[in-house]
Amino acid sequence: MRIDVVSIFPEYLSALDISLIGRAREDGLLDVRVHDLREHTHDRHRTVDDTPYGGGAGMVMKPEPWAEALDAVADDSPVERPTLLVPTPSGTVFSQPLARELAGYEHLVFACGRYEGIDERVFQWAAERFDVRLVSLGDYVLNGGEVAVLAMVEAVGRLIPGVIGNPESLVEESHEGGLLEYPVYTKPSSWRGHEVPPVLLSGDHGKIAQWRRAQQVERTRLRRPDLLPEGPLA
Ligand code: ADE
């Protein structure tokens, strides 16, 4: 998979050099390219922002550098219409199903906004060349898209075949299957007065599976009732 990220803080994305994603890049599973938006400015101050029409606080990212940067990425794309992801608190909420969908695409492009956001016309124009998706990490405000891109690239990247050593570990985790993950324990079985639930030491795999399922349902009911479907669970 090819991933391009455009940002005014390319060094922010250096976390993509390490850990699982860094390894996937070394192994040739992921081709990640980070671009500095300011390379697409043509004034002495390398200006990327200006005051908002209509007034109001803060600055807005100018359309010209974005169009030039995104044109360069689209011209170099391995596909006809790459997916352009724009992290913004006013987007639709990013989720595991969306991560799974994106993991099936050949080319993702991330546009990191800063300040009060990017001139809205950039998204209208970009729709000619990209499938444009505005996505939010959640109902809170970050200073820019970079942290959101790190989260999304990790969520998508780990679903690409070969990136995670043991693909079975992907099946039983939170948000796969619509429920939160069951609690996990390791040795010692007794620790500072806290015991591992005896069923896990019983060797009865049927009972263990049943207990884990019940834990998943109970946790989800307590912490994330919004995830539970109405009516009895299958
Ligand atoms: N940029 C600023 N806040 C954000 C959020 N909550 N999600 C994604 N991108 C953002």
Side-chain angles (χ1 to χ4, degrees):
M1 172 187 278
R2 162 89 172 269
I3 294 178
D4 286 80
V5 185
V6 183
S7 163
I8 58 167
F9 295 120
E11 60 278 24
Y12 220 122
L13 284 308
S14 60
L16 298 176
D17 296 342
I18 59 176
S19 188
L20 230 79
I21 300 299
R23 170 90 55 81
R25 293 172 73 180
E26 280 169 23
D27 293 347
L29 297 168
L30 270 181
D31 176 2
V32 181
R33 306 181 192 187
V34 180
H35 311 272
D36 186 348
L37 180 68
R38 290 194 202 275
E39 296 293 313
H40 299 279
T41 58
H42 302 284
D43 63 311
R44 211 155 51 86
H45 301 291
R46 310 182 88 198
T47 310
V48 293
D49 61 333
D50 207 336
T51 53
Y53 276 120
M59 300 291 272
V60 174
M61 293 191 107
K62 293 161 64 63
E64 300 94 333
W66 276 111
E68 197 181 294
L70 294 175
D71 263 337
V73 169
D75 287 345
D76 191 33
S77 177
V79 296
E80 183 71 24
R81 279 179 74 77
T83 300
L84 176 65
L85 293 146
V86 185
T88 163
S90 54
T92 58
V93 176
F94 187 69
S95 64
Q96 192 68 13
L98 179 54
R100 241 178 277 130
E101 180 190 338
L102 298 176
Y105 295 160
E106 213 174 314
H107 188 194
L108 305 180
V109 181
F110 291 90
C112 298
R114 284 259 150 187
Y115 315 113
E116 297 307 308
I118 302 172
D119 187 307
E120 190 70 19
R121 293 167 296 178
V122 171
F123 312 128
Q124 297 162 357
W125 161 81
E128 294 169 17
R129 307 201 68 181
F130 298 86
D131 284 323
V132 182
R133 314 274 281 257
L134 277 67
V135 276
S136 171
L137 273 200
D139 294 339
Y140 47 84
V141 179
L142 304 167
N143 284 336
E146 287 78 6
V147 166
V149 168
L150 291 176
M152 289 191 273
V153 170
E154 185 153 315
V156 172
R158 62 198 294 285
L159 298 178
I160 293 167
V163 171
I164 289 215
N166 176 9
E168 274 182 29
S169 64
L170 294 174
V171 177
E172 296 203 346
E173 59 196 3
S174 290
H175 301 294
E176 291 294 344
L179 295 173
L180 301 184
E181 195 179 12
Y182 50 77
V184 294
Y185 304 85
T186 187
K187 291 178 262 310
S189 63
S190 177
W191 174 78
R192 297 195 178 192
H194 297 269
E195 310 299 324
V196 169
V199 61
L200 298 179
L201 310 176
S202 70
D204 184 334
H205 296 292
K207 263 205 186 137
I208 291 172
Q210 225 176 25
W211 179 86
R212 285 179 166 166
R213 173 79 181 172
Q215 289 286 316
Q216 283 191 283
V217 173
E218 182 61 5
R219 275 191 160 186
T220 308
R221 193 182 64 76
L222 283 172
R223 300 178 188 171
R224 292 295 305 278
D226 57 298
L227 295 178
L228 287 174
E230 291 185 16
L233 283 165

